[in-house]
Amino acid sequence: MSEKVLMKGNEALAEAAIQAGCRLFFGYPITPQTELSAYMSKKMPKIGGLFLQAESELAAINMVLGASAAGKRAMTSSSSPGISLKSEGISYIAGSDVPAVIINVQRGGPGLGSIQPSQADYWQATKATGHGDFQLIVLAPSTVQEMADFVGQAFDLGDKYRMPVMILSDGMLGQMMEPVSFPDKGEPVIPERPWAASGHGGKRPHNIVNSLYIEAKDLEKTVVERFKKYDIIKKEEQRAESYLTEDAEIVIVAYGASSRVARSAVNSARAEGIKVGLVRPITLWPFPTDAIEATVPTAKKYLTVEMSMGQMVDDVKLVVNGRKPVSFFGRTGGIIPTPGEILEEIKKLNGKEA
Amino acid sequence: MKIISNKISIICGHYGTGKTNLAVNLARDHAKAGEKVTIVDMDIVNPYFRTSDYKKILEDEGIEVIAPVFGATNLDLPSLPAAMYLAFEKEGTVIFDLGGDDVGSTVMGRFREKLTGKDYEMLYVINRYRDLDCDPKATAEILSEIEKVTKLKATGIINNSNLMYETTKDHIEEGHRYALETASLTGLPVVATVLRRDLSEEYREKPIPGMGEIIPVDIIAGPSF
């Protein structure tokens, strides 16, 4: 690993993309992801890459589709309202079976909302980023180091499954600074893309990258095939961190920024003798059902903590499936819950019979 | 820090080098020492982790805070209050916390004439561990960009090389070498070295030659979890 330096999460995302071999970045400005684009604009020209500020989010995401269709590693980044605008293009990318990395540094919503951190785009990222039957792989970092690590993994997953991958971050992780290091490796290995529409010199049949199907039966067949791939991903790619869950009677489920606050509350509650643990989903899709299922035998209660009115809590309930009560605590609109608030919730649950 | 007592000082630097954390620590130290202190948040480019976030703590300690009209709110609007003009006329210790790089420092340019004939310090904050390429030449270049837009010349370097809670003595020593190299490239003195409070005692007693004044600081900027 390289020497550690202090970086903002947004900068770490940008540097990691460059180190993963991404040389094409298409964006449109928005707070609080600004430093990512700024970093790209400064660094890309120096290394023979391209930073392009498009005329709109729609243009930027369609440039990503074009670059990916031509077989290149391409990325875009935005924040909540900008992701809504990009969602049409993301659907086209999914429908075209090409990889791409999309960063969402979430802010408060709906509408123009706020520029403060939020996790209210969980449903959007995992269930409805655009129209049609499709999924994105969604990774949720919780430290600046993970912001760096997950970008390369996102590009690799995208290549492996030929699909778009989203990093669902938030304003706090994007703006905060922590020590971070990057892997010491030479040129990144970018897999061959035999499907790319990148010129064939008459030596092979031409490739078509497209999401339009003239015959309904062909579209159905394609979508069904894609869902078989999703089944494999659900089996193979779930990731979560389990913290002090072995004997936990209360299991908190939280991801990203709110998992940091939750962990702090878990430590305080443990110090008071309360048996509480944390499951931190790292992949939001596929949702880490196995990690949560593993806690069901010992857990008496679940508490989902989010910076939203409660979105991931639905997926937790689907796994727990009525066997144990699942409650929710959240702050929204750009407010980060405090460790004290979560500790209070833990104490309330601890005092109550199941 | 003795040299900033009872005059205007301008804290500038690459963004993320710790300007706000330093400015807030200095304001509190000088207020504790009985000086009348005004802190001016001149950062209109970065909406997160800024002096305005600490307004209440500072005001409770008797420090006057002058901040952009919409600082610490959801409005991403770069507008300055009229009170910012008054900051140049204040008695006592006045600390200006600029935004990062030339972009964040540009706003100071319009106030340049306010400093004519005044004794002031413009202190360039550096952190060796904010720079992936660890290049003193690039660090010197950022300063010349800041000087261009502020139309002011820096008077000294403050070495704030650190890795937050992961800072070790090796980092401090390597950061010091980096500061000296930057100093020789810019022709400026290293007037002070900033150290996390728990690491500062040792160097206060036995500083490495060229460190300047040792300023102990608490890490207050950023989330606590």
Side-chain angles (χ1 to χ4, degrees):
Chain A
M1 297 293 274
S2 76
E3 179 188 54
K4 280 194 176 176
V5 288
L6 277 180
M7 274 191 157
K8 287 194 170 200
N10 284 334
E11 297 168 334
L13 290 166
E15 176 61 31
I18 289 168
Q19 295 203 12
C22 173
R23 292 293 177 274
L24 299 167
F25 178 87
F26 307 96
Y28 188 79
I30 188 165
T31 307
Q33 67 78 53
T34 309
E35 293 78 6
L36 200 171
S37 299
Y39 195 97
M40 289 297 197
S41 73
K42 278 202 169 163
K43 194 138 180 192
M44 279 296 200
K46 289 185 188 156
I47 54 166
L50 173 79
F51 163 83
L52 197 151
Q53 182 171 316
E55 67 270 35
S56 70
E57 283 88 349
L58 274 71
I61 191 69
N62 282 293
M63 289 171 188
V64 171
L65 169 57
S68 292
K72 297 294 181 191
R73 282 198 158 172
M75 182 167 110
T76 190
S77 67
S78 194
S79 177
S80 308
I83 297 292
S84 296
L85 288 165
K86 287 181 205 275
S87 64
E88 179 196 52
I90 296 170
S91 172
Y92 278 57
I93 291 171
S96 304
D97 293 309
V98 297
V101 173
I102 299 131
I103 312 276
N104 182 1
V105 183
Q106 294 171 92
R107 56 188 256 181
L112 211 44
S114 79
I115 55 172
Q116 302 302 323
S118 161
Q119 296 181 321
D121 301 348
Y122 177 91
W123 280 338
Q124 186 193 47
T126 61
K127 320 245 184 258
T129 319
H131 60 283
D133 277 323
F134 79 93
Q135 292 287 351
L136 304 175
I137 293 176
V138 183
L139 303 176
S142 71
T143 61
V144 174
Q145 184 65 57
E146 285 188 342
M147 296 279 252
D149 296 343
F150 289 4
V151 174
Q153 293 165 12
F155 276 112
D156 291 344
L157 284 166
D159 270 316
K160 186 173 172 190
Y161 295 107
R162 283 181 61 180
M163 63 186 284
V165 181
M166 178 178 280
I167 294 186
L168 192 66
S169 170
D170 65 72
M172 188 189 97
L173 293 169
Q175 296 289 331
M176 66 186 284
M177 291 209 304
E178 276 180 338
V180 59
S181 62
F182 294 89
D184 289 316
K185 54 180 183 195
E187 280 301 294
V189 184
I190 302 172
E192 287 288 308
R193 293 170 160 186
W195 46 263
S198 52
H200 52 84
K203 294 195 179 77
R204 58 160 171 79
H206 67 276
N207 289 333
I208 297 172
V209 178
N210 174 38
S211 66
L212 173 68
Y213 289 81
I214 305 293
E215 298 283 348
K217 64 176 172 35
D218 293 339
L219 177 56
E220 186 192 47
K221 185 168 166 278
T222 309
V223 173
V224 169
E225 283 301 316
R226 211 173 274 138
F227 270 70
K228 284 182 190 157
K229 177 172 78 181
Y230 294 162
D231 284 338
I232 295 169
I233 295 170
K234 282 194 227 173
K235 233 169 80 191
E236 308 270 327
E237 305 294 349
Q238 286 183 29
R239 284 171 68 193
E241 180 199 355
S242 297
Y243 177 68
L244 305 177
T245 52
E246 293 79 11
D247 63 340
E249 293 175 356
I250 300 171
V251 173
I252 298 183
V253 186
Y255 72 95
S258 55
S259 74
R260 296 174 68 107
V261 193
R263 189 186 305 263
S264 172
V266 165
N267 290 336
S268 307
R270 281 274 172 184
E272 296 184 26
I274 304 172
K275 286 185 176 169
V276 54
L278 170 72
V279 175
R280 174 173 75 91
I282 293 170
T283 51
L284 301 182
W285 195 90
F287 193 66
T289 52
D290 296 349
I292 292 172
E293 184 61 44
T295 63
V296 172
T298 47
K300 289 183 178 159
K301 293 164 190 175
Y302 287 84
L303 172 66
T304 305
V305 178
E306 300 173 57
M307 278 139 61
S308 75
M309 291 301 288
Q311 301 190 2
M312 182 179 71
V313 62
D314 291 352
D315 285 332
V316 177
K317 283 179 179 166
L318 281 172
V319 181
V320 177
N321 201 16
R323 287 171 289 176
K324 308 284 163 76
V326 177
S327 57
F328 171 76
F329 178 77
R331 298 294 306 265
T332 196
I335 306 285
I336 303 170
T338 65
E341 282 173 332
I342 301 175
L343 182 61
E344 276 310 301
E345 289 300 309
I346 294 170
K347 284 181 177 170
K348 268 192 246 166
L349 286 176
N350 193 47
K352 257 194 274 175
E353 286 305 308
Chain B
M1 188 165 58
K2 289 182 205 90
I3 62 160
I4 71 162
S5 282
N6 296 310
K7 63 168 125 163
I8 290 173
S9 46
I10 299 155
I11 313 272
C12 65
H14 179 43
Y15 71 95
T17 47
K19 296 179 295 298
T20 294
N21 201 66
L22 174 65
V24 172
N25 271 279
L26 286 175
R28 298 176 83 181
D29 286 350
H30 284 258
K32 246 174 241 157
E35 292 170 26
K36 176 177 159 26
V37 178
T38 307
I39 187 166
V40 188
D41 177 2
M42 237 191 205
D43 188 348
I44 52 169
V45 293
N46 172 24
Y48 276 62
F49 307 132
R50 38 185 301 155
T51 295
S52 315
D53 295 348
Y54 314 102
K55 196 164 192 265
K56 184 156 188 327
I57 306 173
L58 293 164
E59 285 176 345
D60 286 349
E61 294 177 15
I63 298 159
E64 185 174 350
V65 180
I66 299 176
V69 183
F70 299 106
T73 76
N74 271 325
L75 266 186
D76 213 349
L77 195 67
S79 102
L80 301 172
M84 215 158 260
Y85 284 91
L86 292 176
F88 295 90
E89 317 300 333
K90 295 271 176 195
E91 306 255 309
T93 303
V94 181
I95 301 168
F96 281 88
D97 178 19
L98 300 197
D101 286 356
D102 50 340
V103 177
S105 304
T106 303
V107 59
M108 194 68 200
R110 73 184 265 186
F111 296 105
R112 191 185 81 101
E113 282 170 13
K114 291 284 209 181
L115 288 165
T116 312
K118 285 210 167 74
D119 184 18
Y120 70 90
E121 300 289 338
M122 180 154 109
L123 302 165
Y124 182 51
V125 179
I126 62 169
N127 179 358
R128 149 79 169 70
Y129 296 95
R130 261 297 277 161
D131 181 3
L132 202 59
D133 304 321
C134 321
D135 180 8
K137 279 198 208 91
T139 305
E141 182 56 34
I142 292 170
L143 176 61
S144 67
E145 288 164 6
I146 291 172
E147 288 181 329
K148 220 176 279 167
V149 298
T150 56
K151 302 169 200 134
L152 297 168
K153 287 280 169 212
T155 56
I157 287 172
I158 296 185
N159 177 21
N160 186 33
S161 293
N162 77 91
L163 258 187
M164 297 174 83
Y165 295 103
E166 295 183 28
T167 313
T168 64
K169 286 178 77 169
D170 287 346
H171 294 124
I172 293 171
E173 281 161 28
E174 174 53 30
H176 181 58
R177 276 193 290 277
Y178 186 77
L180 292 181
E181 218 176 307
T182 309
S184 84
L185 284 171
T186 55
L188 293 170
V190 176
V191 295
T193 297
V194 180
L195 296 172
R196 213 176 62 216
R197 194 170 299 280
D198 56 302
L199 297 167
S200 65
E201 212 40 54
E202 183 182 342
Y203 291 95
R204 272 197 134 168
E205 279 161 24
K206 264 179 101 178
I208 309 172
M211 272 187 156
E213 198 177 324
I214 303 291
I215 310 174
V217 293
D218 302 308
I219 300 179
I220 43 180
S224 59
F225 37 77

